[in-house]
Amino acid sequence: MDDLPDGHFRHLIFPYTGKVTHVRVPKRGFGSDFAAVIDSEKGRFFVKSMFNHPGGRKDSILREQAINPYVQPLSPALLWTVDEDDAGWIILGFEAIEERGLNFEPGSPDLPLAVDLLNRAANLGLPDVARDWTEERWDAYVSSADELALLRGDALLHTDINPSNLTAGVGGVGSWIIDWSWPTRGPGFIDPACLVVQLISAGHSPESAESWAAKCTAWANADPKAIDVFAVATTRMNRAIAERYPDEAWRGAMAEAAQAWVDHRGIAQAEL
């Protein structure tokens, strides 16, 4: 199949797929070296793979492999794995689902489903495999050790909350949070807080965005000061990323959404 990376890749997956009959590469990316829905003699699979090189990308796919048993049935099941030696492939074969990303725009009928998915995620609990995965991505954007302490916790986090990763089954059957590429341990409010920024970017006012987050149990139990710290940190982070990638307009839009949220919360500009 021309849409597979090469004959070696085809050989590696053959024990799990048999003859591959069709390959469909999704329009949206999954941060992988190769990702596709594969039809084969042995069924349909979503295949996600990385080159087995040291570093963050390898660590990411290994975390996704490790966490999958603990995020069922919220995420499609991992059915098989190929893990070659260094310089080879790491390939994950997931249950293929017919899904679509949620619509985050104001008035969308998908918004209650987004809340439901985050509440289901909040109920998963923290498995032992994730206890050392401390959430650190916002650490560089806080101002003190006291603020940093507010971004620590013992909830299992997804952290890449966006309209592509919160999905509904085609035909209204099923719903999932997909792409658990970097699960971490932290305060439960972070996933609803990520939703707030996404909703503002999709056209919500900050008041509307927070009203949806308030329906999430992890948000309702959060310290407002911790939310303020996170709002400032994510604004700083999104601004830095937007400056690093000026040609990617969506990054600038995320920075603007985060700034609008900070303004709504009445956080002084000096804190930024």
Side-chain angles (χ1 to χ4, degrees):
M1 301 290 297
D2 292 339
D3 286 330
L4 293 176
D6 53 38
H8 178 58
F9 188 97
R10 189 181 312 117
H11 171 75
L12 290 173
I13 67 172
F14 184 83
Y16 308 99
T17 64
K19 181 180 179 181
V20 173
T21 57
H22 185 259
V23 177
R24 176 169 59 86
V25 177
K27 293 181 180 179
R28 66 180 187 268
F30 289 86
S32 308
D33 292 311
F34 177 75
V37 176
I38 291 178
D39 288 301
S40 71
E41 287 182 310
K42 297 187 179 182
R44 174 174 289 181
F45 307 98
F46 173 66
V47 172
K48 183 175 184 178
S49 46
M50 299 277 199
F51 296 122
N52 193 351
H53 297 156
R57 288 166 62 82
K58 176 181 177 180
D59 292 345
S60 172
I61 199 167
L62 292 178
R63 281 198 188 192
E64 187 163 9
Q65 176 186 3
I67 202 64
N68 186 263
Y70 304 99
V71 294
Q72 302 300 320
L74 189 57
S75 175
L78 177 62
L79 302 177
W80 48 266
T81 302
V82 174
D83 189 348
E84 280 195 290
D85 294 334
D86 288 350
W89 285 96
I90 300 175
I91 309 171
L92 306 183
F94 292 91
E95 169 193 10
I97 56 175
E98 292 297 323
E99 46 81 24
R100 60 168 181 83
L102 300 190
N103 180 349
F104 279 6
E105 294 177 356
S108 168
D110 289 343
L111 296 174
L113 181 54
V115 171
D116 177 67
L117 284 166
L118 291 186
N119 282 337
R120 288 167 60 194
N123 287 331
L124 288 173
L126 182 74
D128 286 343
V129 70
R131 292 208 170 270
D132 292 333
W133 299 347
T134 302
E135 177 52 66
E136 299 175 335
R137 274 165 288 190
W138 286 272
D139 287 11
Y141 304 98
V142 301
S143 301
S144 69
D146 287 343
E147 288 188 354
L148 185 61
L150 293 172
L151 300 186
R152 294 291 183 261
D154 289 317
L156 176 65
L157 303 177
H158 181 281
T159 69
D160 192 11
I161 302 301
N162 66 59
S164 294
N165 287 341
L166 273 59
T167 70
V170 174
V173 178
S175 58
W176 304 269
I177 300 180
I178 63 172
D179 199 14
W180 288 79
S181 295
W182 206 255
T184 53
R185 175 175 63 86
F189 75 84
I190 282 184
D191 279 349
C194 291
L195 176 67
V196 168
V197 180
Q198 289 284 338
L199 292 179
I200 296 171
S201 183
H204 289 255
S205 68
E207 294 89 343
S208 171
E210 285 197 343
S211 74
W212 285 103
K215 301 176 190 295
C216 298
T217 54
W219 177 279
N221 297 325
D223 179 350
K225 175 59 177 176
I227 295 174
D228 284 348
V229 168
F230 179 83
V232 171
T234 204
T235 300
R236 290 170 174 162
M237 183 176 72
N238 278 289
R239 184 185 296 160
I241 293 172
E243 290 172 355
R244 198 177 310 144
Y245 301 98
D247 296 332
E248 298 183 18
W250 70 271
R251 297 186 186 275
M254 293 304 297
E256 290 175 5
Q259 181 64 60
W261 184 29
V262 164
D263 293 344
H264 165 69
R265 293 189 69 84
I267 300 170
Q269 289 295 319
E271 297 185 46
L272 293 174

